[in-house]
Amino acid sequence: MTCGNDYEHSFEIKLDNHTYTFDSFECAIHKLAPVCRNCGCRILGHGVESGDEMFCCAHCGREKGVEGLSSRVSAHSAEHVAAS
């Protein structure tokens, strides 16, 4: 376990032939979520990629000199999120 807690409601995530056990999503994010190459935040959504680099948004990619990036939010997705 990432945090070392022994919790009856723990869960497992399988990734790249490894199994990880966590007691919270917070611990899972800390261990497994990719990090933005520009601002250093954990990427919880889709993010954007350029080669092997990941960014939390197109703006951060542009800040690192990557051209042609755009966030993957369609008009339908944005409306769905706003309605939630």
Side-chain angles (χ1 to χ4, degrees):
M1 290 208 162
T2 300
C3 298
N5 297 327
D6 186 15
Y7 183 59
E8 64 190 42
H9 299 291
S10 63
F11 59 95
E12 293 182 348
I13 296 178
K14 295 180 182 183
L15 178 68
D16 297 331
N17 296 319
H18 291 88
T19 301
Y20 302 91
T21 303
F22 300 101
D23 62 351
S24 71
F25 286 115
E26 180 182 9
C27 291
I29 289 166
H30 179 76
K31 177 76 174 176
L32 300 176
V35 176
C36 177
R37 294 281 299 189
N38 183 57
C39 71
C41 75
R42 294 285 177 177
I43 303 170
L44 303 182
H46 295 288
V48 292
E49 297 177 54
S50 176
D52 62 351
E53 294 184 313
M54 291 198 67
F55 302 96
C56 63
C57 62
H59 170 79
C60 276
R62 288 191 297 271
E63 287 291 308
K64 285 292 191 184
V66 179
E67 297 180 15
L69 293 178
S70 63
S71 296
R72 298 181 186 176
V73 177
S74 67
H76 174 73
S77 295
E79 289 172 6
H80 178 71
V81 170
S84 297

